[in-house]
Amino acid sequence: MQMYANIGAQMITQLHHVQLAMPHGQEAQAIGFYSDLLGFATEPKPKALAARGGVWFRQGDVRVHLGVETPFTPARKAHPAFLCDELDALARRLGDAKYPVEWDQNLAGFKRFYTADPFGNRIEILHPTA
């Protein structure tokens, strides 16, 4: 396997997006969470993909794509982790909107919490402490 020793050095350069699943017909709930609470803008899907349902979001270089999955099962362990400058304010906003906020102190150098989107997908929000 020596011939592949350095292949990762230049091959992967950046994460383009994270894909999460959602139930059919629940785009409004996705927008309410990802846009209204987390601050992502919606991003138009290519015409060829729009008929499948779901919704895409973007904030700077951070992209989240929600695609319809039938039958739907939420991701309860696998999850995106978003860096946030206003961690406490976002935790309050999510709590006020009746979303769970579960603080966790098991990652040195970060203050963080977990929440769930309207479909039960796990979401981590964190801020470096050092």
Side-chain angles (χ1 to χ4, degrees), residues 52-89:
R52 298 179 185 177
V55 61
W56 289 5
F57 300 95
R58 184 174 186 166
Q59 175 64 29
D61 289 334
V62 180
R63 295 177 185 94
V64 180
H65 295 176
L66 271 77
V68 172
E69 187 173 72
T70 304
F72 169 73
T73 303
R76 299 198 190 278
K77 183 69 175 175
H79 63 275
F82 300 123
L83 289 172
C84 177
D85 286 339
E86 300 292 334
L87 193 68
D88 293 324

Side-chain angles (χ1 to χ4, degrees), residues 15-82:
L15 178 67
H16 183 270
H17 70 271
V18 171
Q19 173 87 23
L20 295 172
M22 62 176 279
H24 174 74
Q26 307 235 346
E27 287 80 3
Q29 290 88 332
I31 292 168
F33 181 80
Y34 288 94
S35 288
D36 298 345
L37 291 173
L38 298 189
F40 284 91
T42 57
E43 186 171 55
K45 292 179 70 172
K47 192 173 189 175
L49 301 177
R52 298 179 185 177
V55 61
W56 289 5
F57 300 95
R58 184 174 186 166
Q59 175 64 29
D61 289 334
V62 180
R63 295 177 185 94
V64 180
H65 295 176
L66 271 77
V68 172
E69 187 173 72
T70 304
F72 169 73
T73 303
R76 299 198 190 278
K77 183 69 175 175
H79 63 275
F82 300 123

Side-chain angles (χ1 to χ4, degrees), residues 99-128:
Y99 285 95
V101 175
E102 300 172 20
W103 291 97
D104 180 279
Q105 289 145 27
N106 292 319
L107 184 60
F110 290 90
K111 183 176 180 181
R112 70 180 179 167
F113 66 85
Y114 292 97
T115 191
D117 72 8
F119 320 115
N121 292 310
R122 186 179 199 188
I123 307 293
E124 180 179 348
I125 313 286
L126 67 164
H127 182 78

